[in-house]
Amino acid sequence: MLKSGLEINKRRFVLTVSVPLIAYLSISIFVIGWAFVLMFFDYSPGRLGGPFLGLGGSNPFIGFDNFIEMVKGASIEARMFRLSLKNTLIFAFTILPLNLAITLPLAWLLDSIKGRFKVIFRTIYFLPVLISSVGVALIWNNLYNPQSGWLNEIIKFFGGKPVGWFTDSTLTFLGIPVSLWAIMIAYLWQDYGYNMVIFIAALQGVPEELKEAAMVEGANRWQTFTKIVIPLIRPTVLFVCVMTMLSSFQVFDIVQVMTVDKPGIGTQAQVLVLDIYKNAFRYNRMGWAAAESFVLFLIILIVTIIQVRTLRTKWEY
Amino acid sequence: MRKVFLWLLIVTAAMSMIFAFTLSGCKNESTAGTTAAETTVTETTAAETTAAETTAAGEATAKTVLRLWCMNSPAFLAAYEGLAAAYETAHPDVDIQVESFEYGVFIQTLQTAMPAGQEADIMALFGSWIPLYAERLATVPAEVMSLDEAKNTFYKAPLGGYLGDGVFYGFPQEFNNEYGGVLVNKTLFEAANLTYPPKWETMADVISDGKALAKKDASGTMTTAGFYFIGGDMSIPFLAGIKQFGGDYWNSDHTGFTFNTPEAKSSVQWMLDAVKAGVIDPVGFSQNDLFPVFFSGKVGIGYVGTWSIGVGKESYPDFKDEWDYFMLPNINGDTPSFVADSGWGLTVSPNSKNQDIAWDFAKFATTVPENVIEYNRITGTIPALISAKDLPEFAEQLPWAEKELGILPYGEYMGQMPDRDLIMYEIIFPHIVKMLQGVETVDAAMEAIDTEANSTFK
């Protein structure tokens, strides 16, 4: 009797869960499948196209032409794609080490502070995370304003020449346009508090006796940090690396807001998701945008697999 | 477990296919509706409206409900609501419901609603968008207005955006002109002992005043731009200049661009002269938006369309300097030839079951001079309707438009570019800025513009 009651409950559970799950997966699969199909068409939602979902006709099948154009093409969209891809890679591979270089030592420092100051500092550093990206972009846009921005005022105060952060097409630092640096700084400022809190949590989980044992063996604080602490928090480092890389590859809102009123020069800092957005929703090139999205998906997939394989551990403490 | 997983996959895939076919079916249905609507438009009457389109049962007189989509700028929304109310007063059996969207959301809504056949009966679209959506728009029935009649009714620049292959897709409401005028800061003019109001005969006179207005601080940094013209819309004077030098940026059959020409190079000469004379720092003052710098007293003369008069007064009521709007002299020659990119106007969905009412409303809103002036007064725009200027209250109600009356007949539609935004903002603008910043030569800039703009043709 009890067994059959359980069976009934199980069946009810399966039924209750299956229906929304199937509905959800069906729609997800359709959307993914639709994007996959679109990348082989020169599709614009403004055109009538053929009878089946608007494919064919004035939205013709073009095979791999979008991908060939991305690699070899001289058209403006191909060049914008290549520039955006380059900027996205620069963005992701610059943000990650900078973020780790700031957050890990900062977390270690904060973890070593005792008492209420620890909470105060943690709150201060975490505050930017709570601000919306649009707000962060507006704040930094004001700071970068060539006429009245604080940064240029500080530079002028010390006798320097104001910088056209988003207006000087010649300005680069380490070969990267200053406009892209300006966005990366704003992004880092907003993002580092999140990783810092994660690292603090990880550091608190490192057993004190292991650190003390290392000290007894003659290791100094730096050696303890690099040889004992970091290897022990490697799973957390992996998590932070993967998540930071993912969000960096998908960065959109902050770039959009900081460059929206700066056509041309602001484009120097254009990233791939913004290019996808512009092509899809401004220029009506859904097929091209779908192909770009697929390239971004592949890049993120490959980078994530490499990160997981490189940083994974087979042990726990 | 494996069987359950397989079963789940099969069901999910099947559901996705059903979903796709359902959407396809919806689309086919709407396409069929389009064709039917296009062929039977003259036979459809308001009396044939379906019950679903009438107001709640119980009302003595069932109203025919039409939806109108527009951008949600407060001024535009108020203007469309005013037009809807005026039409409803004249036609008590019609209810026009205005639905508005933020600019970006509006575009995305069109992109999703149109393929599904779910768009509004009437849509206020920008003229430059029409080529992108032409296949999904109803054409103006000949009995509503013929093309010849339209050419005599509207200025050619705004109408041009709604034309295609001998048919037209809607009625323009606005002459969107970014060419020919400037905001002038009177306070700065008087402080620099310059003649006010300015009496400019040539662009050299403007540059001369700009030079006198420009200021730099001790570090050599420009603090006041004498003549600010570097913005996203600088493509418009560039294209106008090409026309005024006797050239064209289109090839003979409009299948390609010709930007690498002597006329195009001459067209940017005044910009180079201005930078050389020190009227503007092309790095410090090359932001897109003139308003923050002009309305903080950092610009003497600022290139912008007349729409800026209304927006400036509304957005910067506390700005203490006195200012006004003046027309510039021609870039070259005696004829103020220029191009414009159409403007906002009304179109009708081919899926609307009340196309006759929709077209009647569109005609009411765009060809009755009193309605036109009211719309343009609220939105701070210039009428596309030629006869609007004949109304006695025109100058009083639309002082900004009155300033431009002399040049409006010379305006031409800029042409159906494959992608106007891409060409203006991502190709022409950055190359001209680079040229002014000394990164590119004139020849290199024109060649790059020519190559890149032509690459937008498929």
Side-chain angles (χ1 to χ4, degrees):
Chain A
M1 189 67 189
L2 183 65
K3 197 177 176 184
S4 67
L6 268 176
E7 281 299 316
I8 290 166
N9 281 343
K10 266 187 187 174
R11 281 180 189 173
R12 275 185 189 159
F13 175 77
V14 169
L15 270 176
T16 323
V17 170
S18 293
V19 174
L21 189 69
I22 288 170
Y24 175 76
L25 285 178
S26 304
I27 294 169
S28 300
I29 287 174
F30 173 75
V31 172
I32 293 167
W34 179 236
F36 188 80
V37 169
L38 278 189
M39 64 190 179
F40 300 110
F41 286 83
D42 178 15
Y43 181 87
S44 164
R47 296 195 290 255
L48 278 174
F52 182 68
L53 293 173
L55 299 173
S58 53
N59 290 317
F61 177 77
I62 53 168
F64 289 94
D65 282 6
N66 279 334
F67 297 100
I68 295 166
E69 180 68 14
M70 281 178 193
V71 178
K72 292 185 186 170
S75 65
I76 182 81
E77 64 259 35
R79 289 191 303 104
M80 287 309 298
F81 164 76
R82 291 195 288 265
L83 174 69
S84 305
L85 180 62
K86 186 179 128 192
N87 284 345
T88 304
L89 292 172
I90 290 172
F91 193 94
F93 286 98
T94 309
I95 286 291
L96 181 63
L98 286 178
N99 192 307
L100 290 180
I102 295 169
T103 53
L104 200 47
L106 202 61
W108 189 43
L109 276 175
L110 278 180
D111 188 47
S112 63
I113 297 173
K114 305 290 175 203
R116 64 183 169 186
F117 284 109
K118 186 174 181 172
V119 179
I120 292 170
F121 278 116
R122 201 168 54 194
T123 307
I124 291 170
Y125 289 128
F126 193 72
L127 271 179
V129 179
L130 303 176
I131 305 172
S132 79
S133 296
V134 174
V136 171
L138 292 174
I139 290 168
W140 281 88
N141 256 353
N142 276 327
L143 293 175
Y144 291 133
N145 187 294
Q147 274 86 43
S148 54
W150 284 13
L151 287 175
N152 275 352
E153 291 302 316
I154 292 167
I155 291 170
K156 277 199 275 185
F157 180 79
F158 288 105
K161 280 210 83 170
V163 177
W165 301 96
F166 285 99
T167 54
D168 192 341
S169 58
T170 61
L171 217 55
T172 58
F173 179 66
L174 298 176
I176 299 170
V178 164
S179 50
L180 189 56
W181 278 113
I183 293 170
M184 287 197 288
I185 290 167
Y187 182 83
L188 260 179
W189 178 78
Q190 183 196 20
D191 200 44
Y192 78 96
Y194 182 75
N195 287 349
M196 190 198 69
V197 168
I198 293 172
F199 278 134
I200 289 174
L203 291 171
Q204 284 171 347
V206 175
E208 278 299 317
E209 52 268 33
L210 287 178
K211 287 190 262 182
E212 283 164 8
M215 297 287 236
V216 168
E217 293 292 331
N220 59 28
R221 281 178 69 84
W222 175 249
Q223 285 169 325
T224 309
F225 180 64
T226 54
K227 307 285 182 192
I228 305 294
V229 175
I230 289 185
L232 285 175
I233 62 166
R234 216 161 124 178
T236 308
V237 174
L238 170 65
F239 172 76
V240 165
C241 283
V242 170
M243 296 312 287
T244 305
M245 205 61 138
L246 279 178
S247 61
S248 302
F249 272 118
Q250 293 173 6
V251 64
F252 169 74
D253 37 14
I254 199 166
V255 185
Q256 157 79 345
V257 177
M258 291 184 82
T259 60
V260 70
D261 58 347
K262 303 166 186 80
I265 307 303
T267 305
Q268 286 184 335
Q270 181 155 300
V271 290
L272 202 48
V273 180
L274 182 56
D275 197 48
I276 292 168
Y277 169 79
K278 280 185 177 177
N279 276 300
F281 300 115
R282 194 165 163 189
Y283 305 139
N284 264 8
R285 285 198 215 105
M286 285 286 180
W288 178 263
E292 286 188 302
S293 304
F294 186 71
V295 171
L296 181 62
F297 163 74
L298 281 183
I299 292 170
I300 291 176
L301 184 71
I302 292 165
V303 170
T304 307
I305 288 171
I306 292 170
Q307 281 181 323
V308 169
R309 294 203 167 221
T310 314
L311 291 169
R312 74 177 162 193
T313 54
K314 288 178 181 169
W315 44 262
E316 285 182 11
Y317 59 88
Chain B
M1 188 63 193
R2 194 174 284 179
K3 273 184 182 173
V4 173
F5 187 63
L6 191 66
W7 176 83
L8 195 66
L9 274 179
I10 292 167
V11 172
T12 308
M15 291 287 285
S16 284
M17 291 299 287
I18 292 167
F19 193 53
F21 278 105
T22 310
L23 278 182
S24 177
C26 291
K27 199 246 165 208
N28 284 338
E29 196 176 294
S30 67
T31 311
T34 303
T35 315
E38 278 169 0
T39 52
T40 60
V41 60
T42 53
E43 294 160 24
T44 315
T45 65
E48 290 165 9
T49 308
T50 59
E53 288 165 325
T54 58
T55 52
E59 273 191 28
T61 328
K63 287 186 176 184
T64 306
V65 179
L66 278 85
R67 290 184 301 152
L68 185 156
W69 281 358
C70 67
M71 179 181 65
N72 76 347
S73 144
F76 279 84
L77 183 56
Y80 286 115
E81 282 177 342
L83 287 170
Y87 189 81
E88 286 164 4
T89 306
H91 302 82
D93 56 335
V94 176
D95 177 13
I96 295 178
Q97 296 178 350
V98 180
E99 296 167 13
S100 65
F101 306 86
E102 185 273 326
Y103 186 87
V105 176
F106 190 17
I107 294 173
Q108 289 166 34
T109 306
L110 291 171
Q111 288 177 334
T112 49
M114 281 183 153
Q118 298 296 315
E119 69 275 19
D121 302 85
I122 308 159
M123 290 167 287
L125 303 185
F126 199 74
S128 304
W129 298 357
I130 302 299
L132 296 172
Y133 300 105
E135 289 182 25
R136 297 193 185 277
L137 293 173
T139 55
V140 182
E143 58 276 19
V144 175
M145 188 182 281
S146 69
L147 184 53
D148 286 338
E149 200 184 337
K151 285 178 178 171
N152 293 323
T153 306
F154 302 106
Y155 286 109
K156 57 186 173 186
L159 180 64
Y162 294 82
L163 300 181
D165 296 330
V167 290
F168 70 117
Y169 296 93
F171 300 124
Q173 296 179 282
E174 176 206 7
F175 192 134
N176 181 48
N177 183 22
E178 298 288 344
Y179 168 77
V182 284
L183 289 174
V184 170
N185 185 316
K186 184 185 176 187
T187 308
L188 293 181
F189 257 65
E190 289 177 345
N193 290 319
L194 293 171
T195 308
Y196 189 92
K199 302 266 187 271
W200 298 316
E201 298 285 331
T202 63
M203 286 304 288
D205 298 338
V206 186
I207 292 169
S208 170
D209 279 2
K211 195 175 175 183
L213 289 161
K215 286 179 201 156
K216 288 183 177 177
D217 65 13
S219 69
T221 307
M222 184 168 279
T223 53
T224 304
F227 180 20
Y228 184 111
F229 58 87
I230 304 176
D233 287 319
M234 68 192 301
S235 306
I236 296 292
F238 168 61
L239 300 178
I242 295 173
K243 292 274 181 187
Q244 291 183 20
F245 277 100
D248 199 348
Y249 52 91
W250 284 102
N251 64 10
S252 56
D253 56 359
H254 278 225
T255 54
F257 294 113
T258 53
F259 282 112
N260 196 7
T261 61
E263 292 84 7
K265 289 169 190 171
S266 301
S267 178
V268 292
Q269 192 55 50
W270 70 266
M271 301 180 195
L272 287 163
D273 292 343
V275 170
K276 204 172 170 185
V279 305
I280 186 167
D281 168 10
V283 173
F285 281 89
S286 62
Q287 309 170 92
N288 184 38
D289 197 357
L290 165 73
F291 276 26
V293 277
F294 183 84
F295 290 105
S296 56
K298 290 175 181 166
V299 166
I301 305 165
Y303 203 118
V304 68
T306 47
W307 55 267
S308 59
I309 302 171
V311 179
K313 282 178 182 165
E314 190 182 309
S315 306
Y316 297 90
D318 301 328
F319 182 52
K320 290 193 172 54
D321 291 3
E322 283 188 64
W323 58 275
D324 204 345
Y325 193 90
F326 295 95
M327 298 308 289
L328 284 171
N330 296 341
I331 296 166
N332 184 58
D334 300 325
T335 309
S337 307
F338 70 99
V339 295
D341 57 353
S342 195
W344 292 103
L346 293 174
T347 60
V348 170
S349 161
N351 298 312
S352 168
K353 293 194 174 79
N354 299 294
Q355 288 188 48
D356 54 345
I357 305 174
W359 282 123
D360 190 52
F361 170 77
K363 198 172 177 184
F364 169 86
T366 58
T367 61
V368 177
E370 289 78 7
N371 295 337
V372 169
I373 285 192
E374 184 63 3
Y375 170 88
N376 294 113
R377 182 188 67 77
I378 297 171
T379 56
T381 52
I382 299 166
L385 183 73
I386 298 170
S387 62
K389 69 178 189 305
D390 302 328
L391 238 58
E393 62 266 36
F394 181 86
E396 188 196 341
Q397 295 288 316
L398 309 175
W400 54 87
E402 207 257 343
K403 287 176 187 285
E404 291 199 15
L405 272 183
I407 67 163
L408 293 184
Y410 298 97
E412 291 174 36
Y413 177 52
M414 62 164 43
Q416 288 190 357
M417 298 181 172
D419 203 312
R420 166 255 192 198
D421 279 7
L422 188 68
I423 289 165
M424 283 179 65
Y425 301 122
E426 309 284 8
I427 297 175
I428 296 177
F429 174 67
H431 282 295
I432 292 184
V433 171
K434 281 179 185 172
M435 183 191 72
L436 297 175
Q437 290 183 353
V439 181
E440 290 180 1
T441 63
V442 175
D443 288 346
M446 293 306 124
E447 194 180 335
I449 291 172
D450 192 68
T451 308
E452 291 174 17
N454 276 308
S455 78
T456 61
F457 287 95
K458 290 281 181 189

